[in-house]
């Protein structure tokens, strides 16, 4: 029998920036600009990597996957965040909140493993350049890409729905969107199993791929040092610099947010960090890859030139 002080929860109230109209207006403008840059930038990468035959190789195949993933990731949170900022007391249904959490977790986990796959691709390209296309053949690339999207489902979505949670009336979430950590704080049933599962999946998702990336780059550095010409070493390093920058930003913000001890004083910091990894990272990825990659810039110029000539 349900206790008298328990009520069935049907919606959550998102109070992240309620009562701060100037901050909300600034965030609305900021999110609109960031979302536009994110969608346009990542769409351009997908367009040039799929239409230019010079970029039909494994590295750009995985890059186009990352760009598509970033568009989905940004679209899963930014439009809803803008809508929530337009009202004084935004609410979201229980079902929509869980859908948003599972969607964000799915895409985040997928990106973790996709970045690891991209590190493996760079390792093969630099350590075994003569056998690169033989090893990273089309079939293997498709299998690796499909594997990352499948792993995201098992490690990102299933744990959120697999563990039963009972809510007892508290429905205030101090974020712009439904964050797993914030929702878990509202659960009145025993959360020890939930916390254990979250810690396990978080460790596997973050530390596993990140450790593999570090191992890959240690081997990449050794392989680069064995290259005799300075020009060859610089070229090899430049092909990895963009990926390494993206990895540092993505994993750094996630580990800082999810693997550090939680205290009451970290709430405001968590809100800023959640905006950074949920909004800024998808926007920065295309900028990092295009500004540091002459092949992508050249492909874009050729594409624009064709449009102008036609």
């Amino acid at each position: 029998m349900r206790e008298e002080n328990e009520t069935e929860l049907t919606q959550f109230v998102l109070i992240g920036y309620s009562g701060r109209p100037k901050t909300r207006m600034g965030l609305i403008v900021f999110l609109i600009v960031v979302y536009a840059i994110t969608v346009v930038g990542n769409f351009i990468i997908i367009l040039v990597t799929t239409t230019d035959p010079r970029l039909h190789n494994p590295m750009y195949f995985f890059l186009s996957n990352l760009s598509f993933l970033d568009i989905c990731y940004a679209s899963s949170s930014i439009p809803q965040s803008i809508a929530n900022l337009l009202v004084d007391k935004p609410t979201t249904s229980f079902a929509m909140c869980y859908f948003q959490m599972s969607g964000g977790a799915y895409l985040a986990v997928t990106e973790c493993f996709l970045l690891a796959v991209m590190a493996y691709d760079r390792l093969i390209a630099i350590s075994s350049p003569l056998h690169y296309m033989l090893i990273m053949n089309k079939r293997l690339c498709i299998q690796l890409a499909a594997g990352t999207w499948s792993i995201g489902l098992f490690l990102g979505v299933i744990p959120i729905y697999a563990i039963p949670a009972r809510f007892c009336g508290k429905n205030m979430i101090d974020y712009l969107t439904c964050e797993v950590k914030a929702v878990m704080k509202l659960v009145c049933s025993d959360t020890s199993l939930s916390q254990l599962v979250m810690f396990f999946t978080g460790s596997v998702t973050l530390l596993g791929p990140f450790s593999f990336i570090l191992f890959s780059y240690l081997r990449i550095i050794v392989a680069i040092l064995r290259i005799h010409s300075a020009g060859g070493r610089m070229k090899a390093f430049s092909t990895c610099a963009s990926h390494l920058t993206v990895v540092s930003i993505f994993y750094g913000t996630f580990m800082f947010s999810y693997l550090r001890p939680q205290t009451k004083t970290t709430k405001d910091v968590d809100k800023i960090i959640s905006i950074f990894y949920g909004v800024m990272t998808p926007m920065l990825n295309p900028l990092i890859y295009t500004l540091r990659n002459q092949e992508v810039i050249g492909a874009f110029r050729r594409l624009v030139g064709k449009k102008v000539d036609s």
Side-chain angles (χ1 to χ4, degrees):
M1 181 179 295
R2 187 179 296 274
E3 297 179 7
E4 292 183 1
N5 64 344
E6 289 188 29
T7 58
E8 184 177 356
L9 194 66
T10 59
Q11 66 178 13
F12 292 99
V13 180
L14 304 167
I15 59 171
Y17 292 93
S18 297
R20 299 161 69 177
K22 291 183 179 180
T23 302
R24 282 162 47 194
M25 288 304 300
L27 279 174
I28 290 173
V29 174
F30 170 75
L31 290 176
I32 291 175
V33 172
V34 168
Y35 187 58
I37 295 174
T38 300
V39 173
V40 173
N42 283 291
F43 178 75
I44 288 174
I45 288 182
I46 294 173
L47 186 63
V48 298
T49 54
T50 53
T51 58
D52 195 312
R54 296 178 179 86
L55 303 185
H56 288 177
N57 60 53
M59 182 176 77
Y60 294 109
F61 169 74
F62 293 124
L63 179 57
S64 63
N65 268 264
L66 180 63
S67 293
F68 176 72
L69 179 62
D70 282 336
I71 291 176
C72 295
Y73 195 19
S75 299
S76 70
S77 61
I78 296 181
Q80 184 62 46
S81 296
I82 295 173
N84 292 339
L85 287 167
L86 291 172
V87 295
D88 293 327
K89 195 176 180 181
T91 60
T92 183
S93 67
F94 181 87
M96 181 58 67
C97 188
Y98 263 72
F99 178 77
Q100 189 176 60
M101 286 193 300
S102 60
Y106 171 57
L107 295 169
V109 172
T110 301
E111 184 154 345
C112 284
F113 283 89
L114 181 58
L115 290 174
V117 169
M118 294 173 74
Y120 175 72
D121 171 71
R122 291 299 82 210
L123 172 62
I124 300 300
I126 292 174
S127 62
S128 304
L130 298 179
H131 302 92
Y132 173 59
M133 294 305 297
L134 181 63
I135 297 174
M136 299 299 295
N137 55 70
K138 184 177 180 179
R139 181 180 179 182
L140 179 62
C141 290
I142 294 175
Q143 289 175 340
L144 289 173
T148 59
W149 289 90
S150 300
I151 290 174
L153 178 65
F154 287 100
L155 291 181
V157 178
I158 293 178
I160 292 179
Y161 288 96
I163 303 174
R166 191 175 76 252
F167 297 88
C168 304
K170 295 181 179 179
N171 66 343
M172 300 290 186
I173 299 177
D174 196 9
Y175 281 85
L176 270 178
T177 57
C178 289
E179 284 281 335
V180 176
K181 293 186 300 180
V183 173
M184 290 302 298
K185 291 178 181 178
L186 303 180
V187 176
C188 61
S189 56
D190 183 17
T191 61
S192 56
L193 179 59
S194 302
Q195 297 291 343
L196 181 62
V197 171
M198 286 177 61
F199 180 80
F200 173 76
T201 55
S203 298
V204 171
T205 300
L206 293 173
L207 298 181
F210 186 67
S211 299
F212 177 80
I213 291 171
L214 289 180
F215 174 74
S216 298
Y217 271 99
L218 287 175
R219 293 189 59 185
I220 287 172
I221 291 172
V222 172
I224 290 176
L225 293 176
R226 290 176 179 172
I227 299 175
H228 298 293
S229 66
R233 288 195 297 269
M234 184 59 66
K235 182 178 179 180
F237 178 76
S238 65
T239 62
C240 302
S242 298
H243 178 257
L244 193 57
T245 303
V246 170
V247 167
S248 301
I249 296 173
F250 183 80
Y251 279 95
T253 52
F254 259 102
M255 288 182 176
F256 181 79
S257 181
Y258 282 91
L259 298 184
R260 81 188 197 282
Q262 297 296 308
T263 64
K264 292 182 179 179
T265 58
T266 62
K267 184 183 295 184
D268 290 336
V269 176
D270 284 342
K271 285 194 287 186
I272 296 173
I273 294 297
S274 68
I275 292 176
F276 192 87
Y277 66 67
V279 174
M280 295 299 293
T281 303
M283 182 196 73
L284 290 174
N285 286 355
L287 295 177
I288 292 170
Y289 276 106
T290 53
L291 293 177
R292 296 189 59 89
N293 194 309
Q294 294 301 317
E295 290 183 328
V296 174
I297 294 175
F300 177 69
R301 287 174 176 171
R302 288 191 292 272
L303 179 65
V304 173
K306 289 181 180 179
K307 295 294 183 181
V308 172
D309 293 338
S310 59

